[in-house]
Amino acid sequence: MKLGIVGLPNVGKSTLFNSLTKAGAESANYPFCTIDPNIGIVPVQDERLTVLGNLYNSEKVVPAAIEFVDIAGLVKGASKGEGLGNQFLSNIREVDAIVHVVRCFDDSNVIHVDGSVNPLRDIETINLELIFSDMEMLERRIARTSKGAKNDKALAKELELLERLKTHLENGNMAKSFTTDDEEENALLDGYHLLTYKPVIYAANVKEDDLADDGVSNEYVKQVREFAEKEHSEVFVICAQIEQEIAELEEDEKKMFLEELGLSESGLEKLIRASYGILGLISYLTAGPKETKAWTITKGTKAPQAAGKIHSDFERGFIRAEIVNYDNLTECGSYNAAKDKGLVRSEGKEYVVQDGDVVLFRFNV
């Protein structure tokens, strides 16, 4: 999963990015890497993996991972070359969802680029830049498609879609509010990688005092939640400053620190949960002496396609999947004990893989 982090300067975006990636690097057995200063890979903490790793005496435990892309320098006018934004906007064309950090705190020591705190204005500023960037991309695509549309019905149909979509954006709308019942058009929409077509998770950045009640008493957070509800987006409340402090702590210290703040989970854990929710993702697990690993798939994925996440040969030569529920497996204490109790099932090509399934694929190529 790949998430792009956007936000105006001084909203806590870079603080959040740095703390999330540092926390991830130090808290799990995953080869953390920074590809460049704007990209960090973070493991998805999953206690089930630790339990299975111990059960199977696995040589290594490999969690699922999230790649964060920090889009620096995004300001009003970025799509026209202001700041550094335009050169970075291309970095999030390929992300699965956008994390939009919004400032929801007053602090005279932290200057706001527009002179005052107004989360809805900030959201509109960023959204307009994303719309402008998408319009520029559509204009180039329209120019290319127009050349062949006169003699090609498929291109003519696509050109008509592109022009409708461009009009929709010109009216200040996000691409994700553009609707069509045509399957071909929906497939084309998916392939354009428009920034405004992507799901959005709003990170409402608050002061420490607002964390305990999850921002309920914060008027700014209330505004963001109401806005997000209208566009079917997710919201989670964080304090970037606290996340930075958490990132410096050892695992056992983190839990104590969170408890003192009256929190059950860190901002990173909130973000991961929101990401999986908005993208409709689940994890199935594989376990053995060599490796225990989590695999991220979309809800509704059938067994052969889930197998293909491991290797294309697994999907091509799929025979069956031997499946045991994680809770049943851990209660029985071993795979063989679960099998003796009839809790290991043999499933075919139509089986829809569930979250927490521990799977052994049988295939023949």
Side-chain angles (χ1 to χ4, degrees):
M1 178 163 49
K2 195 171 182 178
L3 303 177
I5 303 183
V6 300
L8 290 171
N10 293 343
V11 297
K13 179 178 65 68
S14 294
T15 303
L16 178 64
F17 172 79
N18 292 335
S19 59
L20 290 180
T21 50
K22 183 165 186 177
E26 295 182 346
S27 66
N29 180 25
Y30 191 85
F32 169 78
C33 66
T34 301
I35 300 163
D36 65 41
N38 296 96
I39 297 177
I41 296 177
V42 179
V44 176
Q45 291 185 35
D46 189 335
E47 288 181 6
R48 298 175 300 187
L49 289 174
T50 306
V51 173
L52 287 177
N54 292 332
L55 199 65
Y56 282 84
N57 293 317
S58 304
E59 290 176 21
K60 61 179 179 176
V61 173
V62 184
I66 295 180
E67 185 174 315
F68 288 106
V69 184
D70 182 26
I71 313 304
L74 197 54
V75 294
K76 188 180 286 187
S79 58
K80 302 295 181 190
E82 292 293 325
L84 299 168
N86 202 30
Q87 70 192 72
F88 286 111
L89 280 172
S90 59
N91 292 353
I92 53 172
R93 289 268 169 221
E94 302 300 322
V95 302
D96 300 302
I98 291 172
V99 180
H100 187 160
V101 184
V102 187
R103 178 171 166 175
C104 293
F105 64 89
D106 290 306
D107 187 342
S108 57
N109 295 317
V110 183
I111 299 166
H112 190 288
V113 286
D114 288 327
S116 62
V117 178
N118 184 333
L120 296 187
R121 179 200 58 212
D122 294 354
I123 288 171
E124 184 182 10
T125 298
I126 293 289
N127 284 352
L128 278 173
E129 293 311 315
L130 300 182
I131 287 170
F132 290 146
S133 183
D134 279 349
M135 282 170 56
E136 191 180 309
M137 197 277 281
L138 285 176
E139 283 165 4
R140 289 197 302 270
R141 187 137 196 153
I142 286 169
R144 286 200 308 271
T145 309
S146 298
K147 292 175 184 175
K150 289 178 183 176
N151 304 312
D152 187 319
K153 285 185 179 178
L155 286 179
K157 184 180 178 182
E158 183 179 0
L159 180 61
E160 195 261 334
L161 168 68
L162 288 165
E163 287 173 342
R164 273 166 36 224
L165 187 55
K166 182 169 174 279
T167 301
H168 183 77
L169 294 178
E170 283 172 343
N171 290 330
N173 302 306
M174 307 285 273
K176 62 185 171 184
S177 64
F178 180 88
T179 55
T180 171
D181 295 327
D182 189 309
E183 286 185 19
E184 285 182 24
E185 289 189 343
N186 279 317
L188 286 168
L189 274 169
D190 287 336
Y192 293 151
H193 300 298
L194 294 171
L195 301 176
T196 62
Y197 193 62
K198 298 181 185 297
V200 176
I201 302 161
Y202 291 101
N205 188 17
V206 301
K207 284 191 168 181
E208 181 184 329
D209 297 347
D210 289 326
L211 275 179
D213 72 348
D214 202 33
V216 171
S217 56
N218 183 310
E219 190 57 36
Y220 297 137
V221 175
K222 185 182 176 185
Q223 291 172 22
V224 174
R225 282 187 168 132
E226 287 173 355
F227 180 88
E229 191 176 349
K230 289 175 189 170
E231 62 167 39
H232 308 293
S233 296
E234 294 267 350
V235 179
F236 76 105
V237 174
I238 50 126
C239 173
Q241 206 61 48
I242 291 293
E243 290 303 312
Q244 195 169 39
E245 290 178 38
I246 290 172
E248 303 293 334
L249 301 174
E250 296 296 327
E251 199 59 41
D252 53 345
E253 293 176 320
K254 281 181 191 177
K255 288 179 182 175
M256 287 172 60
F257 185 58
L258 288 169
E259 282 173 12
E260 285 172 17
L261 292 169
L263 304 174
S264 58
E265 58 185 351
S266 68
L268 176 58
E269 289 165 321
K270 282 185 186 177
L271 174 53
I272 288 169
R273 189 158 43 79
S275 306
Y276 271 65
I278 203 166
L279 294 170
L281 301 176
I282 60 170
S283 292
Y284 76 85
L285 314 165
T286 55
K290 286 191 175 180
E291 180 181 87
T292 289
K293 187 168 182 175
W295 303 87
T296 305
I297 56 171
T298 306
K299 280 180 189 172
T301 300
K302 292 182 178 179
Q305 288 69 49
K309 291 288 284 186
I310 300 175
H311 198 286
S312 57
D313 285 350
F314 282 34
E315 181 175 354
R316 196 165 70 246
F318 179 88
I319 299 170
R320 67 180 185 277
E322 292 176 10
I323 291 170
V324 57
N325 175 271
Y326 168 81
D327 290 332
N328 290 337
L329 176 59
T330 51
E331 280 170 22
C332 292
S334 74
Y335 182 84
N336 287 336
K339 199 169 187 177
D340 290 342
K341 288 188 177 181
L343 297 171
V344 177
R345 310 185 315 279
S346 183
E347 300 285 0
K349 292 182 177 181
E350 293 305 308
Y351 176 72
V352 175
V353 177
Q354 303 298 309
D355 185 64
D357 277 350
V358 183
V359 188
L360 175 65
F361 291 110
R362 300 292 185 186
F363 69 102
N364 183 30
V365 176

